[in-house]
Amino acid sequence: MNEKVLHTLEYNKILDQLTEYAFSADARSRCQKLRPITDRAQIEQLQQQTSDALSRLFKYGSLSFSGVTDIRDSLKRLEIDGALSAIELLRVCSLLESAKRAKAFARSQEDNDQPDDSLTGLFAGIEPLTPLYDEIRRCILSEDEIADDASSTLHSIRRSMRGMNDKIRAQMNSMINNTTTRSYLQDTVITMRDGRYCLPVKAEAKSLVPGMIHDQSSTGSTIFVEPMAVVKLNNDLRELEIKEQQEIEIVLSNLSELAAENLELIDDNLKIMVELDFIFARALLAKSQNASEPVFNR
């Protein structure tokens, strides 16, 4: 059946309806690429999967596939011993969370004496990798935040950073509270410029506050000065920030190594979850249409 005939039959509209019920990009792509099949055995296999998924939907409710994203590029990097970013590791974690839900979904049905069907093997092949999931969640709090306790070294560095920040602020607050210095300031606040603690100094008084100029206001009336009294402290803080970033990279590298040890299972999980997403999309469409399973002959 050629594309012109399919267009005339508005087959694409059926595919669009089906695609709406799939979550992952890969499953949605499979929905769009679905074409009429003439092999009876293949037809019956697909129909059986849809029927079994529909039966599970009616008996046990829906299954969420949120978290199933395309991580194939990340898996390729792991294959060549590359390190993943925090975002990539969280996507792996989201996949494992989705796999964990699917496994629990199947186990609850087994506890209710759910007989084996065409989906039993798929559910059995899921491995949530709970230790890996827990370790990623422990170390990475969000896309932009690594936990202090991700490593003892990182915890120590950040403790030192907090102490250094306190020292710098105490020194600058002392300057702000000095009557003479305060008269040179545009405002009695501590600001950040280029990652350095600065004071907003009146332009006409810039020579009266020794230090390094990092910026000025758009009007030119304010100069942002890093006082000489805190230059060394700012330098020390910057060194700690560099050490912090280096340690974060070590944490991400260690997590990536742990993920690489489970590479094959992660890849299997991805394939199974996409397959189930595709199958349950068909079942949800059948449910929405109150559809009946056809009986085929030759």
Side-chain angles (χ1 to χ4, degrees):
M1 191 174 291
N2 62 41
E3 292 299 321
K4 182 177 180 181
V5 173
L6 293 177
H7 181 74
T8 302
L9 294 173
E10 297 187 329
Y11 179 74
N12 62 302
K13 292 186 178 181
I14 301 172
L15 295 186
D16 289 342
Q17 291 175 18
L18 174 61
T19 303
E20 289 179 7
Y21 290 103
F23 178 87
S24 64
D26 284 350
R28 293 172 68 86
S29 175
R30 288 186 64 178
C31 290
Q32 285 294 318
K33 291 177 180 177
L34 194 58
R35 291 295 180 268
I37 301 166
T38 57
D39 182 273
R40 181 176 173 180
Q42 186 180 2
I43 292 170
E44 290 177 341
Q45 179 190 27
L46 293 172
Q47 287 286 326
Q48 188 62 55
Q49 289 176 338
T50 305
S51 178
D52 290 339
L54 184 59
S55 176
R56 290 185 185 235
L57 284 175
F58 279 127
K59 290 181 180 178
Y60 309 107
S62 60
L63 173 60
S64 171
F65 291 92
S66 63
V68 182
T69 57
D70 186 357
I71 59 169
R72 287 173 297 183
D73 287 343
S74 298
L75 297 184
K76 288 177 182 177
R77 266 192 292 283
L78 290 178
E79 196 172 357
I80 58 173
D81 298 325
L84 303 185
S85 67
I87 294 175
E88 289 177 299
L89 285 164
L90 284 177
R91 286 175 181 162
V92 171
C93 202
S94 293
L95 171 67
L96 297 181
E97 187 173 12
S98 183
K100 184 178 180 180
R101 283 197 306 270
K103 198 73 171 181
F105 178 79
R107 281 175 179 161
S108 68
Q109 295 162 26
E110 291 169 5
D111 292 341
N112 287 296
D113 298 323
Q114 164 71 28
D116 288 351
D117 59 20
S118 64
L119 306 184
T120 301
L122 288 172
F123 282 112
I126 295 172
E127 178 49 66
L129 299 172
T130 302
L132 174 60
Y133 170 86
D134 289 343
E135 185 64 6
I136 294 174
R137 283 295 183 201
R138 184 184 73 81
C139 295
I140 305 178
L141 301 180
S142 71
E143 293 181 358
D144 304 311
E145 186 178 6
I146 305 299
D148 289 354
D149 295 331
S151 76
S152 58
T153 302
L154 185 59
H155 186 276
S156 176
I157 291 171
R158 286 184 172 170
R159 185 174 62 246
S160 298
M161 288 174 66
R162 286 190 288 271
M164 191 63 64
N165 274 295
D166 291 342
K167 284 183 182 179
I168 295 171
R169 285 189 169 277
Q171 181 69 40
M172 297 188 79
N173 279 324
S174 176
M175 297 179 67
I176 290 174
N177 292 329
N178 181 285
T179 305
T180 302
T181 304
R182 189 187 307 171
S183 65
Y184 303 146
L185 302 180
Q186 198 70 263
D187 197 0
T188 55
V189 296
I190 300 171
T191 65
M192 294 291 290
R193 288 295 185 277
D194 300 325
R196 315 280 289 193
Y197 284 96
C198 296
L199 292 175
V201 178
K202 296 174 183 177
E204 62 271 20
K206 65 179 180 179
S207 61
L208 301 176
V209 181
M212 300 176 62
I213 298 174
H214 285 278
D215 198 3
Q216 69 176 12
S217 64
S218 57
T219 61
S221 62
T222 304
I223 304 296
F224 297 94
V225 178
E226 177 188 0
M228 288 303 298
V230 299
V231 168
K232 183 181 184 308
L233 292 176
N234 268 331
N235 287 341
D236 291 343
L237 178 60
R238 181 56 185 152
E239 287 181 12
L240 286 171
E241 289 171 347
I242 292 172
K243 289 180 180 178
E244 177 195 29
Q245 189 55 47
Q246 290 172 339
E247 185 59 25
I248 287 174
E249 290 174 2
I250 291 173
V251 168
L252 296 178
S253 178
N254 290 339
L255 289 173
S256 297
E257 287 180 15
L258 187 59
E261 292 172 6
N262 297 278
L263 180 59
E264 187 174 339
L265 291 174
I266 296 172
D267 188 43
D268 287 345
N269 280 333
L270 177 60
K271 291 174 181 175
I272 291 171
M273 293 304 295
V274 169
E275 181 70 21
L276 287 171
D277 189 8
F278 179 47
I279 293 169
F280 275 85
R282 305 194 314 255
L284 287 167
L285 177 62
K287 182 181 178 183
S288 71
Q289 296 180 341
N290 194 27
S292 300
E293 181 181 1
V295 177
F296 293 91
N297 58 31
R298 296 192 181 279

